[in-house]
């Protein structure tokens, strides 16, 4: 016991003070993209042509964060003249059409369902469903339970059974073989229930978009309340989304 207390005293508090204090991510982190509307048309077209996800509309000068995997190819091709990635991790939206942006996103708190805040503001239990994910999004959700993030201090926990959950968090491109399991998990979750889509694969199919073996997006199967883009979304994006939408 004395050794435990000694180690605790030496290590100090490891938990982030977010949201009371903002967290500064590393410079290499790619967050919310910004589009330069004054960029030359040829640069915009080159960025759109080089995007592996076809996420850029050169004519409208917008980027679809639902398709984007934040690889930075467009920024490199255009040398930052057309697309630049900020360090802003607050990139979640409540409506899928808001993912198509020139850089500005609506206030997530203003678009959250107030009855969700009333029901789940003090306690939110979630069941995570990996629908053929690569484990990247899953890993960055799991890390929320570590001492630095300590998701439980906000009354939010991941549970083993959908029957004990208030909603589901879905990751992966939702393969044909996982669709039935996903629907059964959704149906086993008691109403009122929340559906959260995490990661580009879940939002639009990601790199597998267009394959007959995966869905075109979770919203084509279930009503989605919260969209968290990224490949994978940073843990801070997940934490910000959950706190802003439900607290």
């Amino acid at each position: 016991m004395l050794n435990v207390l000694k180690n605790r005293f030496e290590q100090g508090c490891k938990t982030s003070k977010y949201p009371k204090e903002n967290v500064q991510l590393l410079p290499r982190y790619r967050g919310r993209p910004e589009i330069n509307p004054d960029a030359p048309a040829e640069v915009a077209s080159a960025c759109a042509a080089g995007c592996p996800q076809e996420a850029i509309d050169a004519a409208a000068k917008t980027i679809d964060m639902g398709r984007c995997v934040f690889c930075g190819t467009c920024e490199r091709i255009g040398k930052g003249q057309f697309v630049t990635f900020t360090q802003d991790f607050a990139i979640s939206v409540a409506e899928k059409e808001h993912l198509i942006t020139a850089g500005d996103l609506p206030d997530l708190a203003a678009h959250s369902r107030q009855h969700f805040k009333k029901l789940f503001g003090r306690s939110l239990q979630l069941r995570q469903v990996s629908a053929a994910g690569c484990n990247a999004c899953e890993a960055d959700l799991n890390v929320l339970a570590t001492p630095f993030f300590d998701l439980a201090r906000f009354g939010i926990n991941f549970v083993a059974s959908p029957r004990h959950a208030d909603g589901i968090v879905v990751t992966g491109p939702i393969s044909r073989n996982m669709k039935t399991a996903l629907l059964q998990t959704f149906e086993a979750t008691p109403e009122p229930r929340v559906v959260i889509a995490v990661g580009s694969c879940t939002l639009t199919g990601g790199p597998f978009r267009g394959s007959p073996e995966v869905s075109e997006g979770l919203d084509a199967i279930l009503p989605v309340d919260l969209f968290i883009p990224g490949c994978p979304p940073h843990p801070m994006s997940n934490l910000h989304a959950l706190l802003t939408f439900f607290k």
Side-chain angles (χ1 to χ4, degrees):
M1 177 60 73
L2 290 177
N3 285 334
V4 172
L5 293 175
K6 178 176 179 292
N7 289 337
R8 181 67 179 84
F9 177 77
E10 291 175 348
Q11 292 180 12
C13 180
K14 297 293 185 181
T15 304
S16 164
K17 295 182 179 179
Y18 182 85
K20 291 184 178 180
E21 295 182 9
N22 199 15
V23 173
Q24 185 66 37
L25 301 183
L26 294 175
R28 65 174 178 267
Y29 167 71
R30 298 190 190 99
R32 177 179 53 82
E34 288 186 343
I35 302 292
N36 177 14
D38 299 321
E42 60 272 17
V43 174
S45 297
C47 291
C51 178
Q53 292 298 109
E54 299 180 340
I56 296 174
D57 186 332
K61 293 192 174 179
T62 59
I63 186 169
D64 186 345
M65 291 199 305
R67 292 187 183 183
C68 180
V69 293
F70 297 79
C71 64
T73 299
C74 54
E75 189 175 36
R76 290 192 295 272
I77 290 176
K79 298 180 180 179
Q81 295 183 66
F82 181 54
V83 182
T84 55
F85 288 90
T86 69
Q87 288 192 290
D88 184 5
F89 53 77
I91 55 176
S92 304
V93 298
E95 304 293 340
K96 192 173 184 179
E97 56 264 29
H98 294 161
L99 291 168
I100 301 175
T101 178
D104 295 328
L105 295 176
D107 182 13
L108 180 61
H111 286 79
S112 63
R113 280 66 164 170
Q114 293 304 310
H115 64 289
F116 283 167
K117 289 182 179 287
K118 183 177 180 180
L119 288 170
F120 308 130
R122 293 175 61 86
S123 176
L124 177 66
Q125 312 302 310
L126 298 170
R127 176 65 167 93
Q128 198 270 318
V129 181
S130 178
C134 70
N135 205 40
C137 291
E138 294 83 351
D140 278 352
L141 284 170
N142 290 342
V143 80
L144 294 178
T146 60
F148 180 81
F149 298 101
D150 193 13
L151 186 64
R153 65 189 158 125
F154 302 109
I156 305 175
N157 293 283
F158 286 93
V159 295
S161 171
R163 301 186 189 281
H164 301 157
D166 301 309
I168 59 173
V169 179
V170 184
T171 57
I174 314 168
S175 66
R176 183 166 53 180
N177 291 339
M178 277 299 299
K179 183 177 179 181
T180 299
L182 171 63
L183 292 175
Q184 289 177 342
T185 303
F186 173 77
E187 292 166 0
T189 306
E191 296 182 356
R193 55 199 167 200
V194 178
V195 178
I196 303 172
V198 175
S200 298
C201 286
T202 312
L203 270 58
T204 62
F208 311 100
R209 185 174 58 87
S211 169
E213 299 300 321
V214 304
S215 75
E216 297 179 357
L218 180 61
D219 60 312
I221 302 172
L222 296 174
V224 178
D225 301 293
L226 180 59
F227 299 86
I228 308 179
C231 187
H234 193 279
M236 286 304 304
S237 295
N238 294 323
L239 182 59
H240 169 269
L242 293 173
L243 295 183
T244 305
F245 198 73
F246 294 106
K247 299 298 180 180

